[in-house]
Amino acid sequence: MGQFFTPPSLTIKMIEKFDNLEGTILDPCLGSGNLLAACIIAGADPKKCYGIELDPDMLEEAKKRLMPMGMPEENFKLGDALKEESYEF
């Protein structure tokens, strides 16, 4: 599937570019949830975090990781980030 797992050092650099973590955060290529986990740890509201993942196995891994951190199950979407319907939460 051409998967790329974001290393922690890059995740930190990405978060540092945000002005704040108060709004909605969407990861269209969720994977195992590295970016959203880091955002939640850095203070983002897990109820405002959303993720789309193409691989059903990776989506389940992300759920196992992020739901205990407070991200609701309805904020996860199995889908292709290149398709409009994937953004219907």
Side-chain angles (χ1 to χ4, degrees):
M1 291 190 152
Q3 296 167 333
F4 172 79
F5 296 93
T6 310
S9 59
L10 180 56
T11 302
I12 291 166
K13 289 183 184 293
M14 292 168 67
I15 292 172
E16 288 173 344
K17 298 295 180 187
F18 293 145
D19 290 334
N20 63 61
L21 295 169
E22 295 174 10
T24 299
I25 301 171
L26 168 67
D27 187 344
C29 302
L30 181 61
S32 63
N34 284 348
L35 178 61
L36 292 183
C39 288
I40 293 167
I41 290 167
D45 181 349
K47 293 178 182 73
K48 293 182 180 179
C49 293
Y50 295 83
I52 302 169
E53 177 53 45
L54 184 63
D55 181 340
D57 294 331
M58 290 308 303
L59 184 64
E60 288 306 311
E61 287 302 314
K63 285 181 178 183
K64 287 181 197 173
R65 183 175 193 194
L66 297 170
M67 288 176 63
M69 298 176 82
M71 191 168 152
E73 188 167 11
E74 61 268 13
N75 290 15
F76 295 88
K77 181 80 163 199
L78 178 64
D80 183 341
L82 300 176
K83 295 184 179 175
E84 189 174 330
E85 63 268 13
S86 295
Y87 294 86
E88 297 170 2
F89 284 92

